[in-house]
Amino acid sequence: MPNITFVQPTGEAVELEAAEGTSLMRAAVSNGVDGIVGECGGQAMCATCHVYVRPEHADGLSEVTEDEDEMLDCTVAERTERSRLGCQIAVGLEHDGIVVDVPSGQV
Amino acid sequence: MSATFHQTTVQRCPVHEGAEPSRLGAAVSGGTAPGESREAPVADWVTLDALHRDPFPLYRRLREEAPVHWIPALNRYLVTSYAACHAIEQDEATFSADERESLMKRAMGHSMLRKDNPEHQRDRDSYGKTLRPATIKKHWNGIFEQNYVDCLRRLKKAGPGADFVWDFAAPYAAENLRLVMGFQNATEADMQRWSQTMIDGTGNYADDPDIWAKSERSSAEVDAAIDEMLPYFKDHPDHSLLSGLASLPIPLEAIRANMKMTIGGGLNEPRDVLATTVWALLREPEQLEAVVADPSLHTAAFEESVRWVAPIGMYPRQVARDTVLEGIRLRRGDRVGVAIGAANRDPAVFEDPESFDIMRPKKPHLAFGGGVHFCAGTWVARAQVAQIAMPRIFDDLPGLRLDESSPAVAGGWVFRGMLEMPVAWD
């Protein structure tokens, strides 16, 4: 099972194993990772599962779709070139070891 | 719009423009953990009348005793803690939206709101981009601004002593919804009548035949209006919901039910949050002064208002398999009411939850629901209320105040909002 690490703004890191094919958001919410809300259950409709993907882990991720792009304009914390919605990233074995930063706020 | 991962343009959402980054939302664990469990206590002291007048003292007493109660007056369980409501929202496999003997199905047909996935998702996807932020910004905000001007003129014409709900908030929300949905063959007054009568059907627990008759009449009128508009939009497409649906291979029955659900949810909710927010600010001069000085705070005022009084205060679910919810046993087939109006005032999550405070630390509230049924109209509501009407109304009506000679009245618990709200201005 792929391993994911969520790094909080405080620097505290939470490492967890996700079922293959699950989304970053779902993995975080079902493991109670602070700061990942996932209000809309994965419809790219709420922008509350915003994460910053570390550049070294960006390769091989699915492209940002138009829907995700417009929701990323609605994040509460600043959007950067590393911004993604966790619900739109399906975690495969090839992403084992991915590290993402949790933003300072989601709502 | 092209979109790649290495997007560098930082274009902020208009709804959040100028807002301060918020503090982190608290994660609240819920879940259906096995282990020690008990039967739900019975709350036979809860009456429909008391809930309608003011549900919040009842919610407080219920929550202090248990997260879930059996309520004889409702003939269902009522869930009042944040953790338990949140757990239900995140677990659609255990808590089905497809409730048996649903009054909503009878009043409006079987809409996406009462379907589980994958059926729900097919219906929801059929709404396309109409309700998404980019379309709102490009197409709807300008229309909402024009409607604001027209409705303000109407309120001013009614003069001091006018009712803010019925002379402004209701026609404003109705006209916005009429155009978003594409009912070019109806009036905002039709929208208001359809919405109220079908919602009354949805809540017709007393099985009143008059209420059913009115609801059925509106339902038939909506069907006729849809039948007339769908062929028109095939040749004259625009950005409305009906126009989008006209080109999709969706059963007419699903279109009709989803549009009726949208008439219900898309009108009363922005109307009620607009009136409740203005009412709350007029009673809190310091907070009013703060938003007038810094209009970016209207976003916070909107979110605090829907936390404080969620316009949709309760929605139903049906238990799909035996489970334990926050220590309370529930069985397959049990019907529950998810009281998000209660969850949003849970002191385990919100400090001093009974007070309206736009400066409170931001945390995720449940007012738009959560999980796959998260309100599809969330961004339309934010745009028309927090972005357009709220920042302008206090400028356009200097000295806006509640009319002390005729006090405002709030009511309801499944749907809650201002019933009467006379206002005056200079």
Side-chain angles (χ1 to χ4, degrees):
Chain A
M1 290 205 290
N3 223 295
I4 314 172
T5 300
F6 293 87
V7 182
Q8 296 290 346
T10 57
E12 186 199 347
V14 183
E15 196 180 325
L16 54 90
E17 281 190 332
E20 204 184 335
T22 198
S23 73
L24 268 181
M25 179 279 285
R26 184 56 59 197
V29 169
S30 31
N31 285 279
V33 174
D34 278 351
I36 304 292
V37 180
E39 253 174 5
C40 77
Q43 316 227 24
M45 219 23 215
C46 70
T48 64
C49 62
H50 180 201
V51 294
Y52 301 115
V53 179
R54 297 257 168 117
E56 60 270 30
H57 300 290
D59 286 347
L61 293 182
S62 57
E63 293 236 322
V64 175
T65 62
E66 201 178 324
D67 285 352
E68 182 179 352
D69 180 58
E70 81 173 285
M71 289 317 299
L72 284 170
D73 285 340
C74 297
T75 56
V76 166
E78 186 192 5
R79 176 180 185 173
T80 74
E81 70 276 8
R82 300 198 292 116
S83 288
R84 293 296 305 263
L85 293 185
C87 69
Q88 300 301 302
I89 300 178
V91 189
L93 283 175
E94 68 275 25
H95 305 122
D96 185 37
I98 189 171
V99 181
V100 301
D101 292 293
V102 177
S104 57
Q106 299 280 14
V107 294
Chain B
M1 191 187 328
S2 71
T4 64
F5 177 57
H6 296 290
Q7 176 97 18
T8 50
T9 315
V10 178
Q11 185 187 32
R12 300 300 301 166
C13 176
V15 177
H16 281 141
E17 252 167 26
E20 288 296 311
S22 69
R23 283 171 49 175
L24 205 60
V28 172
S29 63
T32 51
E36 282 184 33
S37 62
R38 58 180 170 134
E39 294 298 317
V42 176
D44 56 7
W45 47 271
V46 172
T47 66
L48 285 169
D49 277 351
L51 281 169
H52 177 85
R53 264 196 313 278
D54 183 3
F56 298 112
L58 285 76
Y59 290 157
R60 198 161 53 229
R61 184 175 158 191
L62 288 166
R63 223 191 288 106
E64 282 166 4
E65 188 183 318
V68 183
H69 281 79
W70 173 254
I71 313 275
L74 303 178
N75 195 27
R76 67 174 64 228
Y77 292 88
L78 193 67
V79 182
T80 50
S81 78
Y82 186 103
C85 290
H86 187 254
I88 290 174
E89 291 186 338
Q90 297 299 323
D91 186 1
E92 34 178 329
T94 307
F95 298 97
S96 169
D98 192 0
E99 189 193 36
R100 70 173 190 275
E101 295 161 29
S102 157
L103 296 180
M104 186 185 191
K105 284 188 206 166
R106 176 168 170 188
M108 298 178 168
H110 197 170
S111 76
M112 64 175 94
L113 207 58
R114 293 285 175 271
K115 291 180 183 175
D116 296 320
N117 279 342
E119 289 78 14
H120 158 269
Q121 196 63 45
R122 277 198 289 271
D123 280 16
R124 182 151 177 150
D125 289 346
S126 74
Y127 271 27
K129 296 192 175 301
T130 300
L131 306 176
R132 298 189 69 93
T135 312
I136 294 167
K137 195 171 170 182
K138 261 187 277 180
H139 300 286
W140 300 126
N141 278 347
I143 289 167
F144 297 163
E145 279 166 15
Q146 185 55 52
N147 289 340
Y148 170 86
V149 171
D150 294 344
C151 291
L152 182 75
R153 194 178 300 124
R154 177 171 166 164
L155 177 66
K156 281 182 167 172
K157 198 172 163 197
D163 191 301
F164 187 81
V165 182
W166 306 111
D167 292 319
F168 180 77
Y172 174 65
E175 185 62 4
N176 290 343
L177 183 70
R178 185 179 76 82
L179 296 168
V180 167
M181 294 189 75
F183 281 114
Q184 295 181 22
N185 52 352
T187 65
E188 58 88 8
D190 292 329
M191 299 296 290
Q192 289 201 54
R193 186 180 72 258
W194 292 343
S195 179
Q196 196 57 55
T197 49
M198 290 190 297
I199 281 180
D200 289 344
T202 296
N204 190 12
Y205 289 95
D207 207 22
D208 181 330
D210 281 350
I211 289 179
W212 283 127
K214 284 180 184 154
S215 173
E216 282 157 15
R217 200 176 312 135
S218 287
S219 179
E221 284 179 36
V222 174
D223 288 345
I226 292 172
D227 290 350
E228 187 178 29
M229 289 314 299
L230 284 177
Y232 170 84
F233 279 126
K234 279 192 175 151
D235 300 326
H236 309 85
D238 68 8
H239 292 91
S240 67
L241 284 175
L242 268 170
S243 178
L245 292 165
S247 60
L248 292 173
I250 304 174
L252 182 61
E253 188 191 4
I255 294 179
R256 287 173 164 179
N258 289 328
M259 293 299 274
K260 287 169 197 169
M261 178 273 289
T262 305
I263 292 170
L267 199 159
N268 295 27
E269 279 49 82
R271 176 195 74 197
D272 291 345
V273 64
L274 177 52
T276 298
T277 313
V278 169
W279 182 67
L281 287 172
L282 291 178
R283 294 167 75 227
E284 301 285 348
E286 282 178 21
Q287 296 186 50
L288 176 57
E289 201 177 314
V291 298
V292 169
D294 177 5
S296 73
L297 287 173
H298 281 294
T299 300
F302 175 96
E303 298 298 331
E304 170 63 352
S305 176
V306 295
R307 178 206 69 82
W308 188 56
V309 181
I312 296 178
M314 188 280 279
Y315 62 80
R317 287 289 181 268
Q318 185 165 310
V319 179
R321 56 191 179 205
D322 292 0
T323 189
V324 175
L325 178 64
E326 293 288 303
I328 307 283
R329 282 194 284 277
L330 293 171
R331 291 166 192 83
R332 182 168 185 268
D334 285 345
R335 295 201 294 176
V336 300
V338 186
I340 50 179
N344 279 346
R345 292 194 184 196
D346 188 337
V349 177
F350 302 99
E351 195 180 324
D352 187 18
E354 306 291 338
S355 67
F356 176 84
D357 177 8
I358 64 172
M359 301 299 189
R360 71 170 58 249
K362 287 184 186 171
K363 290 182 178 174
H365 59 68
L366 305 182
F368 292 115
V372 300
H373 291 280
F374 179 75
C375 174
T378 299
W379 295 96
V380 172
R382 284 174 173 156
Q384 63 177 299
V385 177
Q387 193 186 333
I388 292 169
M390 289 297 306
R392 295 178 63 169
I393 197 79
F394 294 106
D395 279 347
D396 291 335
L397 296 175
L400 182 64
R401 57 191 177 274
L402 297 170
D403 182 350
E404 298 300 337
S405 65
S406 182
V409 180
W413 68 287
V414 177
F415 300 93
R416 186 167 179 85
M418 306 306 299
L419 304 177
E420 294 168 35
M421 191 177 154
V423 289
W425 56 90
D426 296 335

